[in-house]
Amino acid sequence: MNFVPATGTITMFTTDWCGYCKRLKKQLDSAGIGYTEVNIERVDGTPELVMSLNNGNQTVPTILYPDGSAATNPSLAQVQAKLA
């Protein structure tokens, strides 16, 4: 699967229990930033993808940007700056 998002949006890898994920989703919603949420506990192959982006760790939220770069647990300001 290709998880690289469209220009101006992000893909956010999450879990159901992640408080940081819930907080970032609320902030993104308030800021009007579009995202596709991918729960790594429900989508085959995504835990391994997140691990490959995080030096072997399944850290969430992991964000994938349209340019193919990734960030781990970024702030809203960091997401906004990257998408600007």
Side-chain angles (χ1 to χ4, degrees):
M1 287 181 126
N2 181 7
F3 294 103
V4 177
T7 300
T9 67
I10 61 171
T11 300
M12 181 167 43
F13 297 96
T14 67
T15 61
D16 288 331
W17 50 265
C18 173
Y20 295 111
C21 299
K22 292 174 185 174
R23 181 189 61 179
L24 184 57
K25 287 189 289 185
K26 285 181 184 180
Q27 292 172 341
L28 293 169
D29 289 341
S30 293
I33 296 173
Y35 61 91
T36 299
E37 182 178 2
V38 180
N39 187 316
I40 68 168
E41 296 177 318
R42 297 181 188 172
V43 180
D44 290 339
T46 55
E48 295 80 8
L49 173 60
V50 168
M51 288 173 65
S52 74
L53 297 170
N54 291 298
N55 300 315
N57 298 306
Q58 289 186 18
T59 307
V60 289
T62 294
I63 305 300
L64 190 59
Y65 294 103
D67 66 3
S69 65
T72 304
N73 196 18
S75 67
L76 175 61
Q78 289 170 317
V79 173
Q80 289 172 316
K82 182 70 177 178
L83 292 177

